[in-house]
Amino acid sequence: MKGGGKLIIFSAPSGSGKTTIVRHLLKQPELNLAFSVSATSRLPRGEEKDGENYYFISVSDFKKHIKQDDFLEWEEVYRDSFYGTLKSEVERLWAEGKNVIFDIDVVGGLRIKKKFPEQTLAVFVKPPSVDELKIRLKKRSTESDDKINMRVAKASVELATAPQFDRVIKNYDLHTALEEAHQMVADYVGASRPMKE
């Protein structure tokens, strides 16, 4: 896999606000970003659309892709719940001349960073606390208490990986976190930010 553009990774425990930050950055035209849609073997949740939020593929198809070495990175997050980044997705976005942005779990983010150390900015989004994380996950009301408790337990482990990332954003105040992320990515891709009116 040879690439032109830069890779910008946002990783965090579930509920830290990384998706909100990534969506905000995608709306900034001067950053020239395109979103890398991950593949997953889980079923769509709520309003999720295939090809937009994720590529939803069956467990058996996911395993076929693994055998064929089609993934840049992949992980079995929970039993038979796979997530991964297809090489073809990143190549497609690079061919469009874009910088590729990822909203990805900690393990996947670090794997990509390891494969492309020269062209990757890996950012870890830190929540105020694990308790706050639990409150945010409950507010979403998309998952059972068991699933939330699994995510919270996983979050403690993920928080320990923060020092392995290039930069850490503390998402205590969303407005500040968005500003910080925008500046960080603009500096990295060499974009000049538009003047505020």
Side-chain angles (χ1 to χ4, degrees):
M1 233 183 99
K2 291 195 174 63
K6 302 214 166 150
L7 301 172
I8 296 112
I9 290 162
F10 276 84
S11 291
S14 205
S16 298
K18 70 180 184 309
T19 305
T20 306
I21 292 171
V22 167
R23 281 188 189 136
H24 170 74
L25 294 172
L26 283 163
K27 289 180 192 147
Q28 315 307 318
E30 79 282 2
L31 300 177
N32 189 30
L33 298 174
F35 182 63
S36 169
V37 178
S38 297
T40 182
S41 64
R42 73 160 171 79
L43 295 170
R45 282 200 286 256
E47 302 286 301
E48 288 179 335
K49 291 182 182 68
D50 184 54
E52 195 178 299
N53 303 92
Y54 286 98
Y55 294 113
F56 294 101
I57 54 183
S58 67
V59 172
S60 59
D61 282 350
F62 205 104
K63 288 177 176 171
K64 261 185 222 150
H65 281 298
I66 292 169
K67 274 203 179 89
Q68 292 162 1
D69 193 31
D70 292 337
F71 288 107
L72 185 57
E73 59 76 34
W74 64 271
E75 187 192 1
E76 188 173 11
V77 181
Y78 305 107
R79 193 194 147 102
D80 277 345
S81 182
F82 291 93
Y83 288 84
T85 303
L86 289 161
K87 290 175 181 174
S88 57
E89 173 73 355
V90 176
E91 284 164 348
R92 176 180 73 79
L93 298 172
W94 272 344
E96 289 174 12
K98 297 286 193 183
N99 296 309
V100 183
I101 191 166
F102 298 82
D103 170 351
I104 190 170
D105 82 315
V106 167
V107 176
L110 290 171
R111 281 194 186 133
I112 293 172
K113 170 81 184 157
K114 207 171 179 176
K115 281 188 182 160
F116 297 98
E118 298 306 309
Q119 61 201 96
T120 302
L121 172 69
V123 183
F124 187 92
V125 182
K126 208 171 187 177
S129 66
V130 172
D131 289 342
E132 174 63 22
L133 208 59
K134 197 167 188 174
I135 293 163
R136 288 180 187 179
L137 290 169
K138 277 192 187 304
K139 270 190 195 155
R140 275 188 193 174
S141 41
T142 52
E143 297 176 316
S144 68
D145 281 350
D146 282 355
K147 206 64 184 260
I148 288 171
N149 290 334
M150 271 165 77
R151 287 193 186 279
V152 170
K154 194 170 173 247
S156 306
V157 176
E158 290 171 329
L159 285 166
T161 67
Q164 296 173 54
F165 285 77
D166 300 317
R167 305 289 290 274
V168 175
I169 290 178
K170 294 182 172 106
N171 186 11
Y172 301 174
D173 170 69
L174 184 60
H175 181 73
T176 310
L178 294 176
E179 272 296 302
E180 205 181 321
H182 191 170
Q183 192 59 60
M184 209 178 269
V185 174
D187 291 347
Y188 186 68
V189 301
S192 53
R193 291 183 63 176
M195 295 298 286
K196 284 212 165 88
E197 296 298 315

